[in-house]
């Protein structure tokens, strides 16, 4: 194809003919060190809240005796009314950006979740909302909104995210719940990845933050 | 074969993706390339093992479109239409001829000439079947040649001087 004189001329005019040699190993390690997601262990809102809820419902239908079995196994699982109550209680503690409203979660009657799951949903939704707001504000050069969103996103990460101990099971929960909404992150580097994302955003590079926003947005 | 080993092969194209973004006018090409690789890691099963470059360029292209939309440079950008980069480094004749092409014709030419993709690979990157891409490429070349001929002969190349 490049035997054609026009294509040869075009190829010769390539403004960046060689790959830039960058500090690649560090980036490689950073990427493979992160999870296939900064994914909370038990809460599955990461890709899509709708999909997550649908999956939960499907699991609940398939295992119609899940609640009884879980009790038999000794797990601290709760019915949808408790999860919904946790979700609503968390809404009173977690602010959302202006104009954003809490979505309604629908669980079938025989769905079961770990205790604290409703609060975890709320934390994930609030995190996503503030991250999207932060990315938007940076790109719009809206410094006041960006500062507020940064504060809220960092506060959520500091106060409402718990990293499970290394090797903990997927059902791990902290010993004290006490009405405080929290999301649990696996010990797989996800928490550090989010912190790194926030650090980049704080330095004016919102691309990774925007990508998290898109990946975690419901629907 | 571990996921990391698979990803290492994908990651070897980081520089090519960064340069692609740079050539298309990204304001932060390195960050965009890093984002492409992050997406590739997360979606590794979806990345073609044999030659991931069309997939990587298509992902980079989507991110570029988002970047341009966010910058307000082209708020109503069509899916395939990357805006023309600045082309500041090109001679004025070639720059003018490229800018006169449609965005998709221009991208077809540049994917082959600058990103070194085969027509089949470039077609994949643009979501066009290989036969349709070849036709588009042929027409784009003709249009570019016509524009260049309209503008007269190419400027004489300036010899590079070493050690000066």
């Amino acid at each position: 194809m490049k035997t054609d004189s026009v294509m040869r001329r075009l190829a010769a005019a390539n403004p960046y003919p060689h790959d830039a040699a960058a500090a690649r190993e560090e980036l490689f390690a950073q990427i493979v060190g992160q999870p296939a997601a900064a994914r909370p262990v038990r809460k599955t809102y990461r890709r899509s809240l709708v999909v997550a809820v649908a999956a939960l419902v499907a699991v609940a239908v398939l295992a119609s005796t899940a609640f009884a079995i879980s009790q038999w196994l000794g797990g601290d699982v709760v019915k949808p009314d408790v999860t919904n109550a946790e979700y609503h209680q968390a809404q009173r503690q977690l602010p959302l950006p202006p104009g954003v409203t809490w979505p309604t979660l629908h669980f079938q009657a025989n769905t079961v979740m770990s205790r604290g799951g409703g609060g975890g949903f709320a934390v994930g939704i609030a995190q996503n909302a503030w991250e999207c707001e932060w990315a938007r504000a940076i790109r719009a050069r809206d410094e006041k909104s960006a500062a507020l969103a940064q504060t809220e996103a960092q506060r959520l990460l500091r106060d409402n995210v718990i990293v499970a101990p290394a090797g903990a099971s997927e059902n791990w929960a902290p010993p004290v719940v006490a009405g405080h909404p929290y999301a649990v992150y696996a010990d797989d580097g996800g928490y550090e990845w989010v912190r790194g994302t926030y650090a980049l955003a704080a330095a004016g590079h919102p691309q990774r933050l925007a990508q998290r926003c898109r990946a975690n947005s419901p629907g | 074969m571990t996921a990391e080993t698979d990803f290492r092969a994908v990651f070897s194209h980081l520089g090519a993706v960064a340069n692609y973004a740079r050539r298309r006018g990204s304001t932060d090409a390195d960050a965009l390339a890093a984002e492409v690789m992050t997406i590739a890691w997360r979606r590794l099963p979806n990345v073609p093992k044999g030659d991931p470059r069309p997939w990587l360029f298509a992902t980079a292209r989507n991110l570029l479109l988002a970047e341009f939309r966010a910058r307000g440079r082209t708020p109503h950008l069509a899916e395939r239409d990357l805006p023309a980069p600045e082309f500041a480094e090109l001679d004025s004749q070639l720059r003018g001829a490229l800018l006169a092409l449609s965005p998709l014709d221009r991208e077809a030419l540049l994917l082959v000439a600058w990103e070194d993709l085969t027509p089949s690979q470039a077609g994949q990157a643009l979501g066009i079947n290989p036969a349709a891409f070849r036709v588009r490429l042929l027409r784009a070349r003709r249009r570019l040649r016509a524009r260049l001929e309209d503008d007269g002969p190419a400027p004489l190349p300036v010899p590079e001087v070493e050690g000066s």
Side-chain angles (χ1 to χ4, degrees), chain A residues 2 4 9 16 18 25, chain B residues 8 19 23 93 116 145:
Chain A
K2 289 183 189 171
D4 177 277
R9 181 173 173 193
Y16 302 98
H18 306 296
E25 279 309 307
Chain B
R8 175 73 69 181
N19 272 350
R23 291 176 193 121
Q93 188 191 29
D116 215 21
R145 178 180 288 111

Side-chain angles (χ1 to χ4, degrees), chain B residues 83-107:
Chain B
E86 303 303 329
F87 289 137
E89 298 83 358
L90 302 187
D91 71 65
S92 59
Q93 188 191 29
L94 189 55
R95 182 170 64 237
L98 280 171
L99 291 175
L101 296 175
S102 74
L104 197 52
D105 278 357
R106 184 168 54 237
E107 186 66 2

Side-chain angles (χ1 to χ4, degrees), chain A residues 133-143 145-146 206, chain B residues 70-71:
Chain A
E133 167 68 2
W134 189 4
R136 182 206 63 77
I138 291 171
R139 287 178 164 164
R141 294 185 170 79
D142 180 352
E143 292 179 6
S145 298
Chain B
R71 279 157 54 186

Side-chain angles (χ1 to χ4, degrees), chain A:
Chain A
M1 193 60 66
K2 289 183 189 171
T3 53
D4 177 277
S5 62
V6 170
M7 295 302 280
R8 277 205 312 274
R9 181 173 173 193
L10 194 53
N14 187 342
Y16 302 98
H18 306 296
D19 289 358
R24 297 174 181 192
E25 279 309 307
E26 189 181 342
L27 178 62
F28 181 85
Q30 190 182 15
I31 291 175
V32 300
Q34 68 163 296
R39 178 176 299 161
V41 174
R42 185 182 47 211
K43 291 77 184 178
T44 50
Y45 46 75
R46 178 162 178 76
R47 286 288 300 159
S48 158
L49 191 59
V50 175
V51 172
V53 172
L56 282 171
V57 170
V59 168
V61 169
L62 288 172
S64 59
T65 57
F67 184 72
I69 292 172
S70 299
Q71 290 296 336
W72 175 52
L73 293 172
D76 187 14
V77 295
V78 295
K79 289 183 173 179
D81 56 338
V82 176
T83 301
N84 266 320
E86 290 170 342
Y87 180 56
H88 290 295
Q89 184 181 10
Q91 290 176 19
R92 291 193 286 275
Q93 300 176 45
L94 304 173
L96 289 180
V100 179
T101 56
W102 290 99
T104 303
L105 302 184
H106 298 284
F107 301 101
Q108 288 204 354
N110 54 358
T111 301
V112 292
M113 284 196 68
S114 300
R115 187 176 297 282
F121 271 119
V123 172
I125 290 165
Q127 263 192 311
N128 176 246
W130 283 112
E131 288 172 1
C132 293
E133 167 68 2
W134 189 4
R136 182 206 63 77
I138 291 171
R139 287 178 164 164
R141 294 185 170 79
D142 180 352
E143 292 179 6
K144 189 177 171 187
S145 298
L148 173 64
Q150 178 180 351
T151 300
E152 291 298 334
Q154 289 178 328
R155 189 183 58 74
L156 279 164
L157 193 63
R158 186 188 63 230
D159 298 343
N160 299 94
V161 169
I162 297 170
V163 179
S169 78
E170 289 207 348
N171 291 322
W172 182 87
V176 179
V177 179
H180 181 73
Y182 63 88
V184 178
Y185 278 38
D187 176 44
D188 56 7
Y191 182 84
E192 292 306 319
W193 170 255
V194 178
R195 284 188 59 187
T197 300
Y198 287 5
L200 279 173
H205 304 290
Q207 283 187 311
R208 220 163 79 179
L209 188 70
Q211 198 258 327
R212 254 181 75 77
C213 163
R214 285 194 299 275
N216 293 332
S217 289

